[in-house]
Amino acid sequence: MITRKRGVYTGRNKSSAYKDLVWTVATAKDVSLSIEDQTKQTLATIEQNLLELNSNKHQIVSAQVYLANINDKPTMDSIWQDWIGYNPDHWPQRACLGVDLEGDVLIEVTVTAVAIL
């Protein structure tokens, strides 16, 4: 059975899980903030979403980071590294792309993780 966690947007969920796999997506709640603060909020939301489905940031196997300005990548990388930690055993595969994001959204992150059953 698929578990789906509702978000705030119509037609999509913030997270889904099937067996031991979890998928989630997040952006910052306050898009008036800087890239630093939007990144921190987004990663905090990812972490909370994972916890809701019996996973955590160290169970992430794949991540995609979408930036409105690819020049913000070094800033995001620094915050990401502090968040994910310095143990390479906890590092997921990750891609980072510069894309057009809606409005003042500066970052969106999607991840696939393994649930702790």
Side-chain angles (χ1 to χ4, degrees), residues 48-78:
Q48 181 59 43
N49 291 352
L50 290 171
L51 290 173
E52 289 177 5
L53 290 169
N54 301 316
S55 190
N56 63 61
K57 65 184 176 183
H58 298 301
Q59 298 297 111
I60 298 171
V61 293
S62 179
Q64 296 74 43
V65 178
Y66 304 97
L67 295 174
N69 182 347
I70 197 64
N71 293 322
D72 288 333
K73 186 177 182 297
T75 301
M76 181 280 303
D77 279 337
S78 176

Side-chain angles (χ1 to χ4, degrees), residues 25-41:
V25 60
T27 58
K29 289 180 170 66
D30 184 352
V31 296
S32 70
L33 299 174
S34 66
I35 185 62
E36 293 91 346
D37 290 330
Q38 283 198 36
T39 300
K40 289 174 186 174
Q41 274 193 0

Side-chain angles (χ1 to χ4, degrees), residues 3-109:
T3 301
R4 302 177 198 275
K5 295 291 185 175
R6 299 284 184 255
V8 297
Y9 300 104
T10 301
R12 54 189 157 157
N13 289 306
K14 66 179 181 177
S15 304
S16 299
Y18 180 71
K19 295 186 180 181
D20 66 343
L21 292 177
V22 175
W23 297 266
T24 192
V25 60
T27 58
K29 289 180 170 66
D30 184 352
V31 296
S32 70
L33 299 174
S34 66
I35 185 62
E36 293 91 346
D37 290 330
Q38 283 198 36
T39 300
K40 289 174 186 174
Q41 274 193 0
T42 299
L43 294 176
T45 300
I46 288 287
E47 194 162 2
Q48 181 59 43
N49 291 352
L50 290 171
L51 290 173
E52 289 177 5
L53 290 169
N54 301 316
S55 190
N56 63 61
K57 65 184 176 183
H58 298 301
Q59 298 297 111
I60 298 171
V61 293
S62 179
Q64 296 74 43
V65 178
Y66 304 97
L67 295 174
N69 182 347
I70 197 64
N71 293 322
D72 288 333
K73 186 177 182 297
T75 301
M76 181 280 303
D77 279 337
S78 176
I79 296 164
W80 173 277
Q81 189 62 58
D82 288 342
W83 177 74
I84 203 68
Y86 291 88
N87 181 346
D89 291 338
H90 296 156
W91 297 348
Q93 168 278 327
R94 194 195 84 188
C96 183
L97 302 112
V99 300
D100 288 330
L101 294 171
E102 182 179 17
D104 293 324
V105 173
L106 301 178
I107 182 171
E108 183 168 348
V109 177

